[in-house]
Amino acid sequence: MKLRKVTAAAAAALVLSITATACGGDGDKDNEGSGSGGGDKIKIGIKYDQPGLGLKEPDGSFSGFDVDVATYVAKELGYEPDEIEWVETKSADRENALSRGDVKFIAATYSITDERKQKVDFAGPYLLAHQDLLVKKDSDITEATDLNGKKLCSVTGSTSAQNVKDDFAPKAQLRTYGTYSECIAGLQSGAVDALTTDDSILAGYAAQDAYKGKFKLAGLKLSNENYGIGVKKGDTETLNKINDALEKMVADKSWEKAVQENFGPAGYKNEPAPKIGNIVK
């Protein structure tokens, strides 16, 4: 009887060992998506409210250039689209989201600046945008100086409109709204004469079905905004992988395709793809 008991115990241990091995996963994926480790998904930070860049659609899907870039990068890191968990990262919380490990990386109109580089590392840049003006299609505003005496809109907390007033049009009348959508509505109704922010953001709004053909970009280059993909400070391995993915996206023309699909309807004259790792001042 004693021998039978030992044999049964050994058999039970063998079963437990086999079960644990079967549940352990394939070991090929580095499980880098979750900030707390483990899991089959990768968490990526994006904007939820910027048409053409990062937008959560009514059906729960996501669209935009940043989404397309992030999806391509995730694929190169070993994740299929259904293995991506999109996380809303508002501008004020991007650095914290990375440092806490809430997301693996962020693609959310994240301009590379010296101040931000003290807190996070940036892959890219993957898009060179410029501050510009959005006006009605028949508007006679073609230069920033034309805004003198005109009503200029931007959103609360943005410095774009103030920069225009300080540097180009001291007599511009600033109108500050809570969202870009409110500025667009004001532009459509005539409550404001122009809206200013990054040209990529303006193009995304102008490309929406409700606004196609109604607005145009002035085509000014009032600043350089290099969009990068933010990663946790010191995560050199992920940084290098993302840069490799971005280089491949440009080389195989997927980058250009994404630009045209997301910004083309607004007549956006995009800059060529920037050299990865090179910042244009």
Side-chain angles (χ1 to χ4, degrees):
M1 289 295 291
K2 187 174 182 180
L3 180 60
R4 288 173 58 85
K5 287 182 179 180
V6 172
T7 303
L14 178 61
V15 170
L16 287 173
S17 175
I18 294 173
T19 301
T21 302
C23 294
D26 56 17
D28 293 331
K29 196 160 288 186
D30 52 15
N31 290 328
E32 59 186 3
S34 173
S36 59
D40 294 327
K41 293 197 172 188
I42 184 169
K43 293 182 179 180
I44 302 174
I46 58 170
K47 294 290 184 65
Y48 275 21
D49 59 352
Q50 289 185 339
L53 286 153
L55 182 68
K56 185 174 182 178
E57 302 285 0
D59 65 359
S61 62
F62 297 89
S63 66
F65 182 70
D66 284 346
V67 173
D68 290 346
V69 170
T71 300
Y72 189 100
V73 169
K75 176 75 172 179
E76 293 302 303
L77 294 180
Y79 295 88
E80 297 298 326
D82 62 356
E83 295 176 314
I84 298 173
E85 182 177 338
W86 301 109
V87 178
E88 183 177 22
T89 49
K90 297 181 179 180
S91 296
D93 196 45
R94 287 179 296 203
E95 287 83 17
N96 290 332
L98 287 169
S99 64
R100 290 192 304 257
D102 295 345
V103 294
K104 189 64 177 178
F105 65 83
I106 293 176
T109 58
Y110 205 177
S111 295
I112 301 172
T113 67
D114 290 338
E115 181 180 0
R116 288 170 178 165
K117 286 194 291 184
Q118 301 302 311
K119 301 177 181 179
V120 303
D121 287 333
F122 285 99
Y126 63 92
L127 184 72
L128 173 57
H130 305 283
Q131 184 180 343
D132 199 358
L133 304 175
L134 188 70
V135 296
K136 282 188 174 180
K137 190 174 183 179
D138 59 356
S139 174
D140 59 358
I141 297 174
T142 58
E143 300 291 342
T145 52
D146 294 335
L147 290 167
N148 281 307
K150 303 286 188 180
K151 296 181 286 293
L152 176 63
C153 188
S154 194
V155 300
T156 304
S158 170
T159 60
S160 299
Q162 188 63 50
N163 290 343
V164 171
K165 185 176 176 68
D166 291 345
D167 298 336
F168 303 101
K171 295 182 180 179
Q173 302 169 30
L174 301 187
R175 298 289 186 270
T176 303
Y177 292 178
T179 65
Y180 289 118
S181 295
E182 292 177 74
C183 281
I184 290 282
L187 184 59
Q188 187 171 19
S189 70
V192 298
D193 300 299
L195 162 61
T196 187
T197 187
D198 296 356
D199 53 7
S200 58
I201 296 174
L202 297 175
Y205 277 96
Q208 288 185 292
D209 289 340
Y211 303 126
K212 283 181 182 176
K214 296 181 179 180
F215 306 119
K216 66 180 180 181
L217 278 75
L220 309 181
K221 297 180 180 180
L222 304 179
S223 70
N224 289 333
E225 304 295 336
N226 291 279
Y227 292 171
I229 292 181
V231 301
K232 188 173 184 178
K233 191 71 177 175
D235 189 357
T236 306
E237 181 179 0
T238 299
L239 182 74
N240 290 335
K241 288 180 180 179
I242 293 176
N243 276 334
D244 289 344
L246 292 174
E247 289 179 346
K248 181 177 178 180
M249 187 177 187
V250 172
D252 68 14
K253 309 300 183 183
S254 296
W255 182 90
E256 184 64 31
K257 180 181 178 182
V259 168
Q260 293 306 317
E261 288 181 348
N262 290 291
F263 303 130
Y268 177 57
K269 295 182 174 67
N270 65 282
E271 296 278 5
K275 180 176 174 57
I276 307 303
N278 182 53
I279 304 300
V280 180
K281 294 294 187 183

